[in-house]
Amino acid sequence: MKKYQHLLRQLKEKIQNDIYPVGSFLPSEHDLMEEYHYSRDTIRKALSLLQEEGLIRKVQGQGSQVIKEETVNFPVSKLTSYQELVQELGLDSKTNVVRLDKIIIDQKTARLTGFPEYRRVWKVVRQRIVDNLVSVLDTDYLDMELVPNLQRDIAEKSIYAYIEQELKLRIDYAEKEITIDTSQDRDKILMDIGKDPFVVSVKSKVYLRDGRQFQFTESRHKLEKFRFVDFARRR
């Protein structure tokens, strides 16, 4: 075992045994060098791997802070908005709207979304930040005929609440496709995935009670942060 791997294992054990509890800070790089007699490069490599695994985060001027190591049970069969999930599970989360644009569906986008060519839609890109890590990247396409006046503050809060409470539309069902995808440059820029080569992609076509499609969304998830669950009963 290499030195940085040995240090990584020891630090993980101390975090898991609450020697370094959530919210506390690890010893400084200098203190770790004195304690373990390793070089600064070895210390930094171990700390970098801890950060990639979601066990610590770097705080400017303070050092490496221990954060919660947990997964989120993300329901597959339920049609639940992200904000509803946050409230249900009591997550420490916020949403950052990266872009909110009006676009016209072209041939390529039509194949992806299920909307016909030339349909005018909103394109919304949002980062979902969980425990100070960008763990989900959502890209939504919403039919402008059905959702005519979308604003940034609505996208930051809950689009579904706006559709159901303000527009009085009945959201009914979704068709979902879940795959493990190779992480792309966009994922690495907009999400905290470190060097992870994969993300979980959930693509959904969402329909109103009258059968009209009003939304296509792709949610790209940090691989180790979310666990997808379902309930099945034998008939």
Side-chain angles (χ1 to χ4, degrees):
M1 181 181 294
K2 295 182 178 179
K3 289 180 179 180
Y4 75 87
Q5 293 172 323
H6 182 263
L7 177 58
L8 175 66
R9 186 174 69 177
Q10 288 191 303
L11 292 175
K12 286 176 70 172
E13 287 177 356
K14 288 185 176 182
I15 291 171
Q16 291 162 356
N17 292 327
D18 279 342
I19 295 172
Y20 301 132
V22 172
S24 68
F25 286 84
L26 299 184
S28 67
E29 291 181 5
H30 178 74
D31 289 342
L32 289 172
M33 288 170 62
E34 288 195 343
E35 180 179 353
Y36 292 98
H37 305 291
Y38 290 153
S39 69
R40 187 176 296 275
D41 285 344
T42 298
I43 300 297
R44 287 181 173 174
K45 188 162 188 178
L47 292 177
S48 177
L49 290 172
L50 281 176
Q51 186 175 20
E52 288 179 16
E53 292 185 24
L55 294 176
I56 65 171
R57 67 185 179 105
K58 295 299 180 74
V59 179
Q60 185 70 30
Q62 297 185 62
S64 301
Q65 185 178 34
V66 179
I67 59 178
K68 286 189 286 187
E69 180 190 19
E70 60 181 17
T71 57
V72 178
N73 288 336
F74 197 92
V76 175
S77 57
K78 290 183 181 179
L79 184 48
T80 305
S81 75
Y82 182 81
Q83 292 302 328
E84 289 169 342
L85 183 66
V86 165
Q87 293 175 10
E88 180 181 339
L89 299 180
L91 300 179
D92 178 13
S93 176
K94 64 179 181 179
T95 295
N96 178 40
V97 179
V98 177
R99 61 179 291 187
L100 173 60
D101 298 321
K102 299 175 182 179
I103 69 167
I104 297 175
I105 295 292
D106 58 19
Q107 189 176 54
K108 181 179 178 180
T109 315
R111 288 195 298 268
L112 171 67
T113 65
F115 288 122
E117 285 188 67
Y118 310 114
R119 180 66 55 88
R120 296 174 69 242
V121 301
W122 298 101
K123 182 176 181 179
V124 188
V125 179
R126 295 177 287 181
Q127 294 171 312
R128 308 297 197 174
I129 303 166
V130 182
D131 296 331
N132 297 306
L133 293 174
V134 182
S135 301
V136 185
L137 184 64
D138 281 342
T139 302
D140 294 281
Y141 298 82
L142 296 128
D143 191 334
M144 290 183 63
E145 289 185 6
L146 298 171
V147 187
N149 297 308
L150 190 60
Q151 298 175 8
R152 182 172 291 269
D153 63 328
I154 294 171
E156 286 178 349
K157 295 174 184 176
S158 174
I159 293 175
Y160 275 21
Y162 170 68
I163 288 172
E164 293 180 320
Q165 296 170 19
E166 300 296 326
L167 301 182
K168 307 299 182 184
L169 297 174
R170 296 288 299 275
I171 301 172
D172 193 32
Y173 67 96
E175 299 171 352
K176 296 187 179 184
E177 174 187 298
I178 302 174
T179 57
I180 304 296
D181 288 358
T182 301
S183 57
Q184 301 171 359
D185 289 341
R186 187 164 173 266
D187 300 320
K188 296 172 184 177
I189 293 170
L190 295 177
M191 296 174 66
D192 292 320
I193 60 173
K195 297 179 181 178
D196 199 324
F198 301 106
V199 296
V200 178
S201 169
V202 183
K203 298 183 180 73
S204 304
K205 296 176 183 177
V206 193
Y207 298 83
L208 299 176
R209 179 63 59 86
D210 60 12
R212 288 180 295 174
Q213 180 186 350
F214 75 93
Q215 178 190 35
F216 171 86
T217 184
E218 180 179 12
S219 294
R220 297 177 74 80
H221 297 258
K222 185 175 169 66
L223 192 59
E224 78 275 6
K225 190 68 177 177
F226 279 75
R227 178 172 57 196
F228 294 86
V229 298
D230 200 359
F231 175 81
R233 185 190 301 275
R234 181 173 174 81
R235 291 180 179 274

